[in-house]
Amino acid sequence: MTKMYQYHLRPGYKSKELLIDIFGGAEGETFNSDLLNAIVTINPKMTDILDLWMNDEVLITFDSDVGQFTISKDIWGFAFIMADGNQEGLIRISSILEDSELFEKVEVDFENYK
C-alpha cells in the first residue's frame, strides 16, 4: 500500500546540505495539517511566513525542539523542508516522518544531486 505522502531525504542540488523533498501528495488540501500533526512531538511553532508570489511559493519558518526549519511549498504540489545549519534537526524530522503512517521515505542516490 502506498502511503499518502512520499519524500526523499537528499542533498540540495550541488550542495552538501540535506533537505526533505516531498514529491507525492503535497498538493492536497490536508498536507500542511498532516505534516504538522506528524511532527507534533518536536513542538513546531511558526515564526514567519513569506509569500513569494513571483515564484508561486510560500516559505513558512518554524522554531521547534530540534531547532529551526523552513517549509517551502509551491502551487505545483512540491514541498521541501530545509534546515540550513541544522542538519541534525532535519534528520530527526525525517526519522519522525519515516515512523508516520502517512509518510513514506523513498531512498535516492546522492550522486544524482552533485
Side-chain angles (χ1 to χ4, degrees), residues 30-91:
T30 61
F31 171 74
N32 289 348
S33 60
D34 288 343
L35 175 63
L36 293 175
N37 285 332
I39 63 171
V40 70
T41 58
I42 63 168
N43 298 310
K45 305 232 180 322
M46 185 173 54
T47 60
D48 192 30
I49 187 164
L50 185 59
D51 186 354
L52 301 175
W53 57 268
M54 65 288 225
N55 294 344
D56 296 319
E57 175 185 20
V58 175
L59 296 176
I60 307 168
T61 303
F62 292 86
D63 277 335
S64 75
D65 292 350
V66 298
Q68 192 174 75
F69 64 93
T70 301
I71 298 172
S72 165
K73 188 173 175 206
D74 65 32
I75 63 168
W76 298 282
F78 295 103
F80 298 92
I81 302 173
M82 302 162 291
D84 295 337
N86 182 17
Q87 294 291 277
E88 294 83 16
L90 189 79
I91 290 167

Side-chain angles (χ1 to χ4, degrees), residues 82-102:
M82 302 162 291
D84 295 337
N86 182 17
Q87 294 291 277
E88 294 83 16
L90 189 79
I91 290 167
R92 178 72 182 114
I93 292 169
S94 175
S95 174
I96 292 168
L97 294 179
E98 215 172 336
D99 291 339
S100 168
E101 295 179 4
L102 295 177

